[in-house]
Amino acid sequence: MSVSILDAGDAALTIEFGDTIDPGLLAAVNALDAAIARRKAEGGLAGLIETMPTFRSLTLFFDPLVTGREQLLADLKPLLAAAEHSPPLAGRRWRLPVCYEGDAAPDLAEVARTLGMSEAEVVALHGGTDYLVYMLGFLPGFPFMGDVPAALRLPRRAEPRVRVPPGSVAIATGLTAIYPWESPGGWHLLGRCPVPLFDARRDSPSLLAAGDRVRFVPVGTDECRAIDAGVRSGEIDPLVWLEAHEGRATDAQEGA
């Protein structure tokens, strides 16, 4: 593992663990992030404001009136050494419902034609894979997940959409994702998940976190609409629904 330290202005620095999307690099990033959080909770790392983890790097924002680059790196040295040899990341397992039918899947037919598959084969392959949540970004709660099976890999759409509906399940290159909010987007839309991924009223607003594992469970249009209506009306608590439908299991070790 090759670690690089990059300056990001006069009040931030980025620690890069590599230049690929890889579970091993993710483990190092999140191990360091967790170790920093523990050290801060103990009263250490004065001047460190916040951290921002990604696929392969961790950016640290600090107050230059309290600490500096060299002091911060000296404080982080033992944590960084341990992170480089961290075990695979443990996370939660989720089974999320996805409707791969009708208006919920506007690109499914085109994707199937492009890949030389039937729509059923695309759904079976996409829904039959366990995905690792690499990071959250782009939008609050937006999970970048991988790895998409090689047979399903496509570049982004030539013409991005101005509006992608919330809950859209999409693929691009080797990744899959769920759009938590309506937004522009250039990924291929294969389905829709009616379970909200972000709720600011929860203690942990984002449903998913880096290191979690996700498998998509196909549901029909009627069931998808019923879940969506229940969530919107408040009759369905998404977390309670997932528990009742075996949608979540905690503390699942990666690769299990």
Side-chain angles (χ1 to χ4, degrees), residues 222-245:
D222 290 344
E223 184 175 1
C224 183
R225 288 175 177 170
I227 298 169
D228 186 52
V231 170
R232 290 175 182 273
S233 68
E235 295 178 7
I236 292 178
D237 181 313
L239 293 179
V240 173
W241 188 93
L242 287 170
E243 292 280 8
H245 292 77

Side-chain angles (χ1 to χ4, degrees), residues 64-91:
L65 299 179
V66 177
T67 190
R69 181 183 191 275
E70 299 308 319
Q71 180 61 55
L72 190 57
L73 288 176
D75 292 341
L76 291 174
K77 187 175 181 179
L79 305 184
L80 182 57
E84 290 184 68
H85 304 286
S86 58
L89 194 63

Side-chain angles (χ1 to χ4, degrees), residues 110-123:
E110 180 183 352
V111 166
R113 284 195 300 271
T114 301
L115 296 175
M117 298 181 179
S118 67
E119 293 181 23
E121 288 172 329
V122 171
V123 171

Side-chain angles (χ1 to χ4, degrees), residues 21 23 55 129-134 143-149 153 174-177 212-214:
I21 297 175
F55 289 100
T129 301
D130 285 336
Y131 297 103
L132 173 64
V133 179
Y134 279 104
F144 290 86
M145 299 177 282
D147 293 326
V148 169
R153 296 187 182 186
L175 300 173
T176 189
D212 287 356
R213 288 279 182 175
V214 174

Side-chain angles (χ1 to χ4, degrees), residues 42 57 78 92 180 251:
E42 296 167 354
S57 68
R92 300 162 295 178
D251 300 327

Side-chain angles (χ1 to χ4, degrees), residues 150-177:
L152 287 183
R153 296 187 182 186
L154 289 170
R156 288 173 172 80
R157 290 170 52 87
E159 295 185 9
R161 288 181 169 86
V162 175
R163 291 186 178 87
V164 174
S168 293
V169 177
I171 58 171
T173 62
L175 300 173
T176 189

Side-chain angles (χ1 to χ4, degrees), residues 6-28:
L6 306 176
D7 291 316
D10 61 356
L13 58 87
T14 296
I15 301 173
E16 288 192 343
F17 289 91
D19 58 3
T20 60
I21 297 175
D22 178 83
L25 299 185
L26 177 68

